[in-house]
Amino acid sequence: MAKGTIRLADVARAAGVSQGTASNVFNRPEVVREEVREHVLETAKRLGYAGPSLTGRLLRAGKVNAIGIAAVEPLAYFFNDPWARALLAAVSKVCDASGTGLALVSAKDRQTVDWNVKSALVDGFILLCVEGGEKLVQLTRERQLPFIALALNDEDPSIPAISVDNVGGAVVAARHLAELGHSRFGVLATELSDDHVGPVGIAEIERGIYSTSRNRALGYWQALEAFGIRREDVPIYETLNDKPSVEAGLDYLFSAPEPPTAILAMSDNIALLAINWLRARGLSVPQDVSVIGFDGVPEGGMVEPGLTTMAQPFAEIAELAVQAVLHDAVPAEREMIGVTLIVRGSTAAPRPMGI
Amino acid sequence: MAKGTIRLADVARAAGVSQGTASNVFNRPEVVREEVREHVLETAKRLGYAGPSLTGRLLRAGKVNAIGIAAVEPLAYFFNDPWARALLAAVSKVCDASGTGLALVSAKDRQTVDWNVKSALVDGFILLCVEGGEKLVQLTRERQLPFIALALNDEDPSIPAISVDNVGGAVVAARHLAELGHSRFGVLATELSDDHVGPVGIAEIERGIYSTSRNRALGYWQALEAFGIRREDVPIYETLNDKPSVEAGLDYLFSAPEPPTAILAMSDNIALLAINWLRARGLSVPQDVSVIGFDGVPEGGMVEPGLTTMAQPFAEIAELAVQAVLHDAVPAEREMIGVTLIVRGSTAAPRPMGI
DNA sequence: CTTTCTTTTTGAATCGATTCAATATTGGGC
DNA sequence: GCCCAATATTGAATCGATTCAAAAAGAAAG
């Protein structure tokens, strides 16, 4: 495995041709006479030449043919988080079609992510801004490469981003449950502000720095108020999108004198955790409690009962994002993508009163 | 977003220092006097310099600080397949710790994978040889970069690889069920040879080109024969590790006059699909049928009942693989890693006869 | 045997940095 | 004021390819 240090120049010399010709053999074979070409190739093989070095080529061509996926999370996030996986699977399809590679760049602590973003060999970035989005955007800006942000919690229009219609989706989700006849709701929220978990009031929502969560809450309120349910009467619990905090949230919601018959979960991840918790408590879904999620991850369709949810069009988002980055054609205005209601088994009309 | 074409040389000139000093400002700041450093940095910022170009740096340094993960599968495989995900999550942890990036290199058709392997900017490769392994190994060899193969279906000792003890693991799996009292078994196999699905006999197993599947079958036989069960009495069905073929296999196994009370699945993926199929048929697991998997993917612990399985030590495999590739210290001999039995709820003693 | 094209091949410049031996500057001690 | 170290800075060489104008070779026509 002794890494040979054979250069194109060596091959050229050994074959008795100029370096230019040797280069052409590998890059535009049609331009060099057949017998010369064969001779050069043979010489290359004899010397154990590994083919034109990518770095040399890169230096002149300047294209890596890969896009970076960045997040302020440990690398394993990309393989474990359902939303990230669904999105990346969609991105993969687009990349496959265009022969583009995928480089995962990430790190939990900001210093490391800084270095990784600076040193990733990519033509552009797709940013997963679930957390630490501003920092990520700023770092990427410095790289001066095309990029586009997803799930950005910031409405600054100067940041190229693709967002889903969180308000509209939340309206549809809450209306779906209200139309089924529910009147006692509980909301399990994704992060609203840093370093906080627990019940949140109206003021905290309105002040929340994470616009994704804030907008989903606003959508829920808007729809429920149309059914005469006041926002003060809808308990909201802010979670960290993980098991302990979601279970704490459920403990909170179900310790109320009149526990909810419908759970509005701001992510499918939360919704799936909630369903498990409810069933472990002997509450059946959807008979005792209906649950609706948000995101539309594939797992939602594979559990029993299936998860009713607001599905993001991952394929469309991925297509837009990859094309924007690849062709440096980042949209001038923020793209806003709609979400669609998928009704499965986790929502139904509430039990008639008193039964 | 006009991509500035500012080079280090431009900054140096504008700041009135030599290129060497400018380079030092970015790479060994401690060596240049503070006021000069600040001045250079300021000039760089003023000109909109994006930092030393990676390709320039790369050309001299020759290290990319990333490893490639390659497979002959569509890119989405890395985010969808449970085994690949479990492995990659473990690899991610190791890479996180050492600040190494991860590049996903893949493609379904061989031509594309060829190009992708040739042009990936990485320091080495980890090969997921679930399919088309030989081709992948050959391509990677040509790159002359360090690499290590996982799940390799080839016993050629000249290929650096880490293998799990398939025979030993299969022995333990089958013995576990036999000790519980089972005597009627069915095997759902992973691929044995290309382009074949369906029931396979002893001869076909012994001729199978995929050594992973072959060795697991050999292990099952070995353990069962110690309990007086002859290999001819154990029906084996070769699947493609996907839902349709697994269900076809179950149809086959359970259409026998004396259907099995215990299923030996060669992957957790198969085992999980089998459990779903059985329950949909009204057969309870483990009361009616016990199921044991192989691999130890996290999903196995998250379903109800939990999946009994032979767990691969993903963390250990990942650590070995990454270190080998990163330090070009590929083991001379093939590493052989043991697997451990994890007993969960999917296996139990068979129902007493006649009940 | 020229002349005029066309096809091949050459050689030097270039991409954008890093590196290091050589040189310049600074400060301290006497 | 001089010398010696220690510290900073310079400038040219280098990494491994691609590119392209120019030169050489070959072919066809007169």
Tab-separated table of all heavy atoms in Angstrom, chain A residues 87-119:
chain	number	residue	atom	x	y	z
A	87	LEU	N	-35.503	14.468	5.091
A	87	LEU	CA	-35.038	15.516	4.208
A	87	LEU	C	-33.809	15.052	3.423
A	87	LEU	O	-33.717	15.235	2.204
A	87	LEU	CB	-34.676	16.745	5.038
A	87	LEU	CG	-34.295	17.933	4.196
A	87	LEU	CD1	-35.535	18.481	3.510
A	87	LEU	CD2	-33.644	18.997	5.034
A	88	LEU	N	-32.872	14.444	4.108
A	88	LEU	CA	-31.643	14.031	3.453
A	88	LEU	C	-31.884	12.911	2.454
A	88	LEU	O	-31.220	12.847	1.415
A	88	LEU	CB	-30.601	13.616	4.491
A	88	LEU	CG	-30.046	14.806	5.268
A	88	LEU	CD1	-29.018	14.358	6.285
A	88	LEU	CD2	-29.439	15.824	4.325
A	89	ALA	N	-32.830	12.048	2.753
A	89	ALA	CA	-33.152	11.003	1.784
A	89	ALA	C	-33.647	11.670	0.499
A	89	ALA	O	-33.278	11.270	-0.610
A	89	ALA	CB	-34.197	10.057	2.350
A	90	ALA	N	-34.439	12.715	0.639
A	90	ALA	CA	-34.939	13.428	-0.540
A	90	ALA	C	-33.801	14.153	-1.256
A	90	ALA	O	-33.699	14.121	-2.488
A	90	ALA	CB	-36.029	14.405	-0.129
A	91	VAL	N	-32.944	14.779	-0.497
A	91	VAL	CA	-31.790	15.457	-1.088
A	91	VAL	C	-30.926	14.439	-1.832
A	91	VAL	O	-30.436	14.706	-2.938
A	91	VAL	CB	-30.960	16.181	0.001
A	91	VAL	CG1	-29.616	16.628	-0.539
A	91	VAL	CG2	-31.735	17.371	0.555
A	92	SER	N	-30.760	13.274	-1.231
A	92	SER	CA	-29.962	12.221	-1.851
A	92	SER	C	-30.479	11.879	-3.229
A	92	SER	O	-29.705	11.689	-4.169
A	92	SER	CB	-30.011	10.951	-1.005
A	92	SER	OG	-29.491	11.182	0.267
A	93	LYS	N	-31.786	11.777	-3.356
A	93	LYS	CA	-32.359	11.417	-4.641
A	93	LYS	C	-31.984	12.433	-5.699
A	93	LYS	O	-31.601	12.074	-6.810
A	93	LYS	CB	-33.888	11.331	-4.532
A	93	LYS	CG	-34.365	10.074	-3.873
A	93	LYS	CD	-35.645	9.535	-4.533
A	93	LYS	CE	-36.175	8.361	-3.744
A	93	LYS	NZ	-36.802	8.782	-2.472
A	94	VAL	N	-32.094	13.700	-5.335
A	94	VAL	CA	-31.761	14.740	-6.305
A	94	VAL	C	-30.273	14.684	-6.659
A	94	VAL	O	-29.886	14.802	-7.821
A	94	VAL	CB	-32.117	16.137	-5.750
A	94	VAL	CG1	-31.855	17.203	-6.789
A	94	VAL	CG2	-33.557	16.179	-5.287
A	95	CYS	N	-29.455	14.486	-5.653
A	95	CYS	CA	-28.011	14.435	-5.891
A	95	CYS	C	-27.640	13.233	-6.748
A	95	CYS	O	-26.783	13.327	-7.616
A	95	CYS	CB	-27.261	14.377	-4.568
A	95	CYS	SG	-27.290	15.931	-3.681
A	96	ASP	N	-28.260	12.118	-6.468
A	96	ASP	CA	-28.025	10.921	-7.259
A	96	ASP	C	-28.260	11.214	-8.734
A	96	ASP	O	-27.459	10.841	-9.594
A	96	ASP	CB	-28.997	9.811	-6.841
A	96	ASP	CG	-28.317	8.781	-5.949
A	96	ASP	OD1	-27.081	8.714	-5.989
A	96	ASP	OD2	-29.016	8.065	-5.229
A	97	ALA	N	-29.351	11.897	-8.999
A	97	ALA	CA	-29.716	12.153	-10.380
A	97	ALA	C	-28.686	13.032	-11.078
A	97	ALA	O	-28.460	12.893	-12.277
A	97	ALA	CB	-31.098	12.811	-10.433
A	98	SER	N	-28.053	13.909	-10.341
A	98	SER	CA	-27.110	14.818	-11.001
A	98	SER	C	-25.662	14.441	-10.714
A	98	SER	O	-24.750	15.205	-11.024
A	98	SER	CB	-27.381	16.255	-10.564
A	98	SER	OG	-27.180	16.382	-9.180
A	99	GLY	N	-25.447	13.292	-10.089
A	99	GLY	CA	-24.079	12.856	-9.828
A	99	GLY	C	-23.322	13.733	-8.851
A	99	GLY	O	-22.104	13.836	-8.908
A	100	THR	N	-24.054	14.353	-7.968
A	100	THR	CA	-23.421	15.224	-6.982
A	100	THR	C	-23.174	14.459	-5.686
A	100	THR	O	-24.015	13.663	-5.280
A	100	THR	CB	-24.344	16.418	-6.696
A	100	THR	OG1	-24.680	17.038	-7.923
A	100	THR	CG2	-23.678	17.410	-5.770
A	101	GLY	N	-22.058	14.705	-5.064
A	101	GLY	CA	-21.774	14.053	-3.793
A	101	GLY	C	-22.334	14.827	-2.628
A	101	GLY	O	-22.753	15.974	-2.777
A	102	LEU	N	-22.337	14.186	-1.483
A	102	LEU	CA	-22.896	14.792	-0.288
A	102	LEU	C	-21.837	14.766	0.796
A	102	LEU	O	-21.296	13.715	1.103
A	102	LEU	CB	-24.092	13.943	0.152
A	102	LEU	CG	-25.379	14.614	0.561
A	102	LEU	CD1	-25.783	15.675	-0.433
A	102	LEU	CD2	-26.466	13.575	0.707
A	103	ALA	N	-21.532	15.922	1.363
A	103	ALA	CA	-20.579	15.945	2.459
A	103	ALA	C	-21.305	16.413	3.705
A	103	ALA	O	-22.006	17.425	3.676
A	103	ALA	CB	-19.414	16.871	2.145
A	104	LEU	N	-21.155	15.666	4.754
A	104	LEU	CA	-21.822	16.014	6.005
A	104	LEU	C	-20.875	16.852	6.833
A	104	LEU	O	-19.785	16.394	7.171
A	104	LEU	CB	-22.186	14.729	6.742
A	104	LEU	CG	-23.544	14.107	6.468
A	104	LEU	CD1	-24.119	14.485	5.133
A	104	LEU	CD2	-23.495	12.603	6.628
A	105	VAL	N	-21.276	18.070	7.137
A	105	VAL	CA	-20.391	18.875	7.967
A	105	VAL	C	-21.183	19.347	9.168
A	105	VAL	O	-22.252	19.896	9.034
A	105	VAL	CB	-19.721	20.043	7.202
A	105	VAL	CG1	-19.957	19.941	5.757
A	105	VAL	CG2	-20.117	21.371	7.734
A	106	SER	N	-20.603	19.090	10.292
A	106	SER	CA	-21.377	19.320	11.487
A	106	SER	C	-20.513	19.211	12.716
A	106	SER	O	-19.401	18.698	12.689
A	106	SER	CB	-22.474	18.274	11.545
A	106	SER	OG	-23.095	18.310	12.772
A	107	ALA	N	-21.045	19.661	13.816
A	107	ALA	CA	-20.381	19.525	15.101
A	107	ALA	C	-21.264	20.159	16.137
A	107	ALA	O	-22.013	21.088	15.847
A	107	ALA	CB	-19.015	20.212	15.094
A	108	LYS	N	-21.193	19.641	17.335
A	108	LYS	CA	-22.071	20.153	18.381
A	108	LYS	C	-21.577	21.508	18.882
A	108	LYS	O	-22.353	22.438	19.023
A	108	LYS	CB	-22.126	19.152	19.534
A	108	LYS	CG	-23.089	19.545	20.631
A	108	LYS	CD	-24.539	19.586	20.141
A	108	LYS	CE	-25.417	20.358	21.122
A	108	LYS	NZ	-26.765	20.581	20.591
A	109	ASP	N	-20.281	21.601	19.114
A	109	ASP	CA	-19.851	22.883	19.668
A	109	ASP	C	-19.460	23.832	18.545
A	109	ASP	O	-18.998	23.441	17.485
A	109	ASP	CB	-18.693	22.703	20.647
A	109	ASP	CG	-17.476	22.168	19.968
A	109	ASP	OD1	-17.563	21.017	19.480
A	109	ASP	OD2	-16.468	22.869	19.900
A	110	ARG	N	-19.658	25.076	18.801
A	110	ARG	CA	-19.590	26.060	17.734
A	110	ARG	C	-18.198	26.259	17.167
A	110	ARG	O	-18.032	26.546	15.996
A	110	ARG	CB	-20.157	27.381	18.243
A	110	ARG	CG	-21.643	27.202	18.313
A	110	ARG	CD	-22.369	28.140	19.161
A	110	ARG	NE	-23.755	27.666	19.173
A	110	ARG	CZ	-24.811	28.437	19.074
A	110	ARG	NH1	-24.646	29.731	18.974
A	110	ARG	NH2	-26.007	27.934	19.082
A	111	GLN	N	-17.230	26.081	18.012
A	111	GLN	CA	-15.867	26.250	17.535
A	111	GLN	C	-15.568	25.236	16.433
A	111	GLN	O	-15.035	25.570	15.391
A	111	GLN	CB	-14.903	26.037	18.689
A	111	GLN	CG	-13.902	27.166	18.795
A	111	GLN	CD	-12.884	26.857	19.859
A	111	GLN	OE1	-13.068	25.953	20.664
A	111	GLN	NE2	-11.808	27.599	19.848
A	112	THR	N	-15.929	24.011	16.723
A	112	THR	CA	-15.638	22.956	15.772
A	112	THR	C	-16.435	23.136	14.497
A	112	THR	O	-15.933	22.938	13.394
A	112	THR	CB	-15.956	21.585	16.393
A	112	THR	OG1	-15.623	21.622	17.756
A	112	THR	CG2	-15.212	20.503	15.694
A	113	VAL	N	-17.697	23.517	14.627
A	113	VAL	CA	-18.517	23.680	13.452
A	113	VAL	C	-17.909	24.792	12.585
A	113	VAL	O	-17.901	24.716	11.358
A	113	VAL	CB	-19.980	23.967	13.830
A	113	VAL	CG1	-20.304	25.422	13.814
A	113	VAL	CG2	-20.910	23.200	12.917
A	114	ASP	N	-17.417	25.768	13.230
A	114	ASP	CA	-16.745	26.877	12.563
A	114	ASP	C	-15.646	26.335	11.644
A	114	ASP	O	-15.659	26.531	10.428
A	114	ASP	CB	-16.146	27.769	13.659
A	114	ASP	CG	-15.436	28.970	13.098
A	114	ASP	OD1	-15.012	28.912	11.942
A	114	ASP	OD2	-15.309	29.970	13.817
A	115	TRP	N	-14.749	25.590	12.225
A	115	TRP	CA	-13.641	25.023	11.466
A	115	TRP	C	-14.148	24.113	10.346
A	115	TRP	O	-13.670	24.155	9.215
A	115	TRP	CB	-12.707	24.258	12.402
A	115	TRP	CG	-11.750	23.373	11.675
A	115	TRP	CD1	-11.871	22.034	11.485
A	115	TRP	CD2	-10.562	23.771	10.997
A	115	TRP	NE1	-10.827	21.569	10.738
A	115	TRP	CE2	-10.000	22.602	10.421
A	115	TRP	CE3	-9.907	24.987	10.819
A	115	TRP	CZ2	-8.822	22.633	9.688
A	115	TRP	CZ3	-8.731	25.008	10.080
A	115	TRP	CH2	-8.208	23.850	9.522
A	116	ASN	N	-15.136	23.300	10.673
A	116	ASN	CA	-15.641	22.362	9.679
A	116	ASN	C	-16.279	23.073	8.493
A	116	ASN	O	-16.086	22.671	7.351
A	116	ASN	CB	-16.639	21.398	10.315
A	116	ASN	CG	-15.952	20.396	11.225
A	116	ASN	OD1	-14.729	20.312	11.238
A	116	ASN	ND2	-16.721	19.656	11.984
A	117	VAL	N	-17.031	24.098	8.760
A	117	VAL	CA	-17.652	24.838	7.669
A	117	VAL	C	-16.567	25.507	6.832
A	117	VAL	O	-16.620	25.517	5.605
A	117	VAL	CB	-18.644	25.897	8.201
A	117	VAL	CG1	-19.046	26.858	7.103
A	117	VAL	CG2	-19.868	25.221	8.775
A	118	LYS	N	-15.563	26.016	7.496
A	118	LYS	CA	-14.483	26.688	6.772
A	118	LYS	C	-13.712	25.734	5.887
A	118	LYS	O	-13.191	26.131	4.851
A	118	LYS	CB	-13.523	27.355	7.766
A	118	LYS	CG	-14.010	28.670	8.310
A	118	LYS	CD	-12.827	29.577	8.629
A	118	LYS	CE	-13.263	30.900	9.200
A	118	LYS	NZ	-13.129	30.924	10.667
A	119	SER	N	-13.611	24.483	6.316
A	119	SER	CA	-12.694	23.608	5.597
A	119	SER	C	-13.375	22.520	4.780
A	119	SER	O	-12.706	21.653	4.241
A	119	SER	CB	-11.706	22.980	6.579
A	119	SER	OG	-12.397	22.175	7.488
